[in-house]
Amino acid sequence: MTPAMKDYREVMQQLSFLPDLYLVGGAVRDILFGREPEDLDFATSAPPEETLRLAKAHGLEAVPTGLEHGTVTVLIEHHPFEVTTFRRDVETYGRRAKVAWGRSIHEDLARRDFTIGAIAMSAKGEVVDPFDGQRDYEAGLIRAVGDPRQRFREDYLRVIRAGRFAARYGFSIEAQTLEAAREAAPAVLSHVAVERVTAELDKAFKDPTPSRFLRYLYDLEILQRLIPEFEDTHLLLQNPRWHPEGDVFTHVLEVVDRAPPPYRWHALLHDIGKKDTAKWKEEGWYSFHRHEEVGSRLIPRIARDLRLSSALRDELVVTTALHMVPAFTKPTPQAVRAFQAKAGPHLTALEALCRADAGNRRPPEAWKFFEPQPIPIHPLLQGRHLIARGHQPGPEFGRILQAAYEHQLETGETDLEKLYRVGVEGVKGR
């Protein structure tokens, strides 16, 4: 367990006042097979109002975070733990399924998506596994609980989760479950909020090899529906001199796997402009002239569609636009200063992307673009310096600063008086 995660046995002991208490879901699976659980979720036969009452009676803070779903969050030493009442389906129609409080843990487990997550553990350590989830885990299979078509109709996000679990554990998807997923795939994005899909991608990007998950989404044509620029990128052959891996999509998957987890969105989208710039060469492959510029212009729309944060969007615009510079530009002091000025606060992300993109195919001098510079990259001549010299803010004010900054980047000049003179002369010369 990490320092932030309390031991499940200790938590169950502190929640032992709840009737028929079980640890449920992925935590049980992870504990049984020697993995560290990410979250501890519990189930009880007590209705949510009773859970609230009992928790407070035992001196614990409890918050009704989802009463309509039977969920109460209990705080133990400031750690939140979800406790949900056993549920059973009355009617199923996607995310708005009508449920009633269940009478047993077996009823509750029957509602879950995949067998490896339909396992429970009592406070005494007794394992309840009515759908042979342990057997499927040992066999390396992702299998739906019951009828896979029904499971996916209940919540189409499960189509995506099947691929994510298979990729995370290196498992295969059981044949009938995979067939049902393919049948359901065309309806996924019309039934699932995009925020939920993006959250699954965020989770997958923390795993060692998210490429397996992305390949699954691509094979089911979900990725192309989510980001149309990926359509047919497996057909776009690249110059084998630089890309022995072959097509654009395969290259993107390799870059995603090589990138550190915080920069996998950057890796996924870095070549998003290649489809729109592809030109066939008689040598037998495509060129993609200025794909980085086209891609950077696509990023705001893609980020909006995927509900990415504005901070991530802004960084993706920069990293996509600049990722080819170290590959084709000589790292002169002037070029390095200009590059780092454009990268701004995103230089770390850009270096991570470039290293993942390059693999072992860049000459050592390419990495000079990311070395600390002896001369400041930020503008040395500031507005306050102009005001002190009698200038009033206005259009000319900004032009002086810009001319001075361009000169600073070009020459490495650091003397304020010289920068000021260059700025004034530059404006007069226009």
Side-chain angles (χ1 to χ4, degrees), residues 42-156:
F42 299 91
T44 176
S45 61
E49 295 80 6
E50 181 70 0
T51 298
L52 283 169
R53 187 188 69 78
L54 288 171
K56 291 177 181 177
H58 286 78
L60 296 175
E61 183 180 353
V63 183
T65 46
L67 283 184
E68 69 277 16
H69 303 296
T71 302
V72 171
T73 298
V74 179
L75 297 176
I76 299 177
E77 298 175 12
H78 308 292
H79 292 267
F81 299 98
E82 285 192 354
V83 179
T84 302
T85 304
F86 296 157
R87 292 175 292 179
R88 58 185 174 87
D89 289 324
V90 177
E91 297 177 19
T92 57
Y93 38 94
R95 290 278 288 172
R96 296 185 297 276
K98 184 177 181 181
V99 300
W101 304 145
R103 292 179 289 271
S104 72
I105 187 62
H106 290 78
E107 283 183 320
D108 190 76
L109 294 178
R111 298 186 66 254
R112 297 178 183 267
D113 46 12
F114 306 110
T115 60
I116 64 170
I119 311 174
M121 181 184 291
S122 72
K124 295 180 181 179
E126 299 166 336
V127 176
V128 181
D129 183 12
F131 303 102
D132 293 323
Q134 294 173 91
R135 182 195 64 189
D136 284 342
Y137 189 100
E138 290 170 348
L141 282 179
I142 302 298
R143 183 194 307 271
V145 172
D147 179 3
R149 290 173 178 81
Q150 177 66 16
R151 289 286 86 80
F152 293 142
R153 283 195 297 268
E154 289 167 358
D155 185 356
Y156 281 90

Side-chain angles (χ1 to χ4, degrees), residues 298-320:
L298 292 169
I299 292 296
R301 191 218 78 227
I302 293 171
R304 182 177 65 250
D305 290 347
L306 298 179
R307 310 294 193 270
L308 301 181
S309 70
S310 57
L312 178 56
R313 174 202 63 206
D314 293 346
E315 186 160 87
L316 291 171
V317 168
V318 173
T319 57
T320 301

